[in-house]
Amino acid sequence: MAGVSACEAVLKTKKEAAMTIFGDEPYTNYNRILLSDVLAGKTTYGKIVLNTKEWYDENGIDLRLSSPIHSIDPVQKSVIDQNGKITPYDSLILAMGGLPYLPPISGLDRKGVMVFRTMDET
């Protein structure tokens, strides 16, 4: 959500800015806060999507789903994705989300104990 919010802010001032978004999930951005409602059957993935693939196309954003960054080369000002593809950049925003905190309690290793913070985990 933070990365796309940054893109939206750039679009307000520089419509012609070239932007690329790399994501490790196969989905466009969605409201993670509503994943509990998806899990409970109160809503669906389609209803929590914030921007469709068409929105990215319409705004000239190169969206690379299921394409996490493997490394960053600050000297060459480029990022390398998991497939080895090199993409140069002028400016780089790292909006990496967060990982769930698992408190040190017994039973975390039991079958059926899991976290969910992505659509696939939900």
Side-chain angles (χ1 to χ4, degrees), residues 19-33:
M19 293 181 273
T20 303
I21 294 178
F22 294 86
D24 60 350
E25 291 188 75
Y27 310 103
T28 63
N29 64 320
Y30 54 88
N31 187 336
R32 290 187 193 281
I33 295 167

Side-chain angles (χ1 to χ4, degrees), residues 93-111:
I93 296 173
L94 300 174
M96 303 180 308
L99 296 175
Y101 170 73
L102 297 173
I105 57 176
S106 64
L108 289 178
D109 57 344
R110 290 185 182 165
K111 182 179 178 181

Side-chain angles (χ1 to χ4, degrees), residues 28-78:
T28 63
N29 64 320
Y30 54 88
N31 187 336
R32 290 187 193 281
I33 295 167
L34 297 177
L35 286 176
S36 295
D37 288 345
V38 174
L39 184 64
K42 294 179 183 177
T43 192
T44 63
Y45 164 73
K47 292 183 180 176
I48 67 169
V49 169
L50 298 174
N51 299 97
T52 64
K53 287 183 181 179
E54 291 76 22
W55 179 87
Y56 292 92
D57 291 340
E58 290 166 6
N59 287 286
I61 297 171
D62 182 5
L63 179 64
R64 301 188 190 174
L65 301 175
S66 298
S67 185
I69 295 298
H70 178 267
S71 61
I72 300 169
D73 184 337
V75 174
Q76 296 296 316
K77 293 188 79 171
S78 61

